[in-house]
Amino acid sequence: MLHLYGAEYSVYVRAVRIALAEKGVPYHQTPIDIFNKAATPDSYLDLQPFGKIPALRHVDFELFETIAILQYIDEAFDGPDLQPSLPRPRARMTQILSILNSYAYRTLVWDIYVERIAKPEDGKQTDETKITAALPAAKSILNALEKLADNDGPFLLGSQITLADCLAAPMFDLFLKTPEALALVEPAPRLRTWWRDVSARTSFLETHPQTRQV
C-alpha cells in the first residue's frame, strides 16, 4: 500500500491525490497539519526534514517534494500516462510545473486568495497592499500560461491530462474564488475552457477537501 502524508487542506497534497485518482492507485492518507507543530509527530521529520507536505512512502521507498512525488506516481504505477512521451511536450509540461511552483502558488494562493478570502473568514484583516502588489505578477502568470496552453484539447498540453493539470487545478480552484481573478481570466479563453473541463473531472471533484485549502 502506498502511504501519503499530508493534510487535505494543502494544494500540493491535493495535486498528488488528483494524480493518484487519475492513475487509479489506492493509497492510505495520514493527515499531517504543518500549521499545528504540536500535533506534528517528530517521526515525520525523519520522512520530511523540512517539515513540509506532502511526503510519500511506498514499501521501503520514501520521497518528498511534490513534483518528484507526481513523477514517481506516474512512472511507478500502471494506468494512463500523465507525462508526454515526446521531448518537447514533456519539456513544456516541466516548464508549466515550474511556473506553478515558483510563481503561481505564492502569488495566486497566498498573496491573493488567502488575503481576500481566508483571512476575512478567520476574522483577520486583509492586506490590500499585498493584493495590489500581487496583481501585476498574477497577470504575468496567467498571460504566460495562456500562451503555453495547447489549443488542440481540453488540457494544458492538449488532449492528454498531465501532471501540469494535476498541480494547476488546486491552485486555480482557490484563485478563481476571488473577485480579482475575474478580470485577469477574462482575456484568457484557453484557461477558461481548461478550467471548465478540468474542474468537472471525477479526480478533481472527489479530492475536494472538507477544509479550506492553502
Side-chain angles (χ1 to χ4, degrees):
M1 174 66 71
L2 185 148
H3 291 264
L4 173 65
Y5 297 84
E8 66 170 13
Y9 62 66
S10 167
V11 163
Y12 286 99
V13 171
R14 189 180 183 191
V16 172
R17 295 175 65 212
I18 290 173
L20 289 165
E22 290 289 341
K23 296 289 285 189
V25 177
Y27 63 96
H28 173 77
Q29 184 174 350
T30 299
I32 298 292
D33 185 359
I34 60 172
F35 295 115
N36 184 358
K37 298 300 183 182
T40 302
D42 293 338
S43 59
Y44 183 67
L45 295 178
D46 295 330
L47 180 61
Q48 218 295 12
F50 302 103
K52 303 294 185 180
I53 50 177
L56 190 78
R57 179 178 284 121
H58 183 211
V59 193
D60 59 348
F61 182 65
E62 298 176 350
L63 190 64
F64 61 88
E65 293 302 318
T66 303
I67 293 176
I69 292 173
L70 290 171
Q71 291 172 330
Y72 179 76
I73 288 169
D74 184 44
E75 295 167 7
F77 297 96
D78 294 332
D81 292 334
L82 298 179
Q83 298 179 94
S85 58
L86 296 177
R88 289 187 178 184
R90 195 178 182 99
R92 185 70 75 206
M93 181 200 71
T94 303
Q95 181 184 27
I96 294 174
L97 285 170
S98 182
I99 291 170
L100 294 168
N101 192 44
S102 299
Y103 311 113
Y105 176 64
R106 171 55 60 177
T107 300
L108 304 184
V109 176
W110 281 96
D111 293 346
I112 298 179
Y113 166 78
V114 168
E115 291 296 334
R116 178 62 69 209
I117 305 296
K119 276 191 173 181
E121 287 182 353
D122 289 338
K124 299 178 182 178
Q125 186 172 355
T126 294
D127 187 338
E128 296 289 349
T129 301
K130 181 177 287 188
I131 293 177
T132 300
L135 292 179
K139 183 177 180 180
S140 295
I141 291 162
L142 266 63
N143 286 344
L145 293 175
E146 175 71 8
K147 289 179 181 179
L148 293 174
D150 195 311
N151 204 29
D152 293 331
F155 306 112
L156 291 175
L157 274 78
S159 60
Q160 178 188 13
I161 188 169
T162 70
L163 302 180
D165 301 287
C166 295
L167 185 56
M171 293 186 188
F172 274 79
D173 190 28
L174 298 186
F175 174 62
L176 291 173
K177 289 178 169 63
T178 71
E180 286 77 12
L182 299 178
L184 291 170
V185 175
E186 179 60 31
R190 292 181 185 179
L191 289 180
R192 294 202 310 271
T193 299
W194 163 78
W195 175 250
R196 180 198 65 198
D197 293 332
V198 78
S199 63
R201 288 186 72 81
T202 300
S203 62
F204 180 85
L205 298 172
E206 290 183 345
T207 57
H208 199 279
Q210 299 301 310
T211 56
R212 188 171 58 227
Q213 297 178 82
V214 289

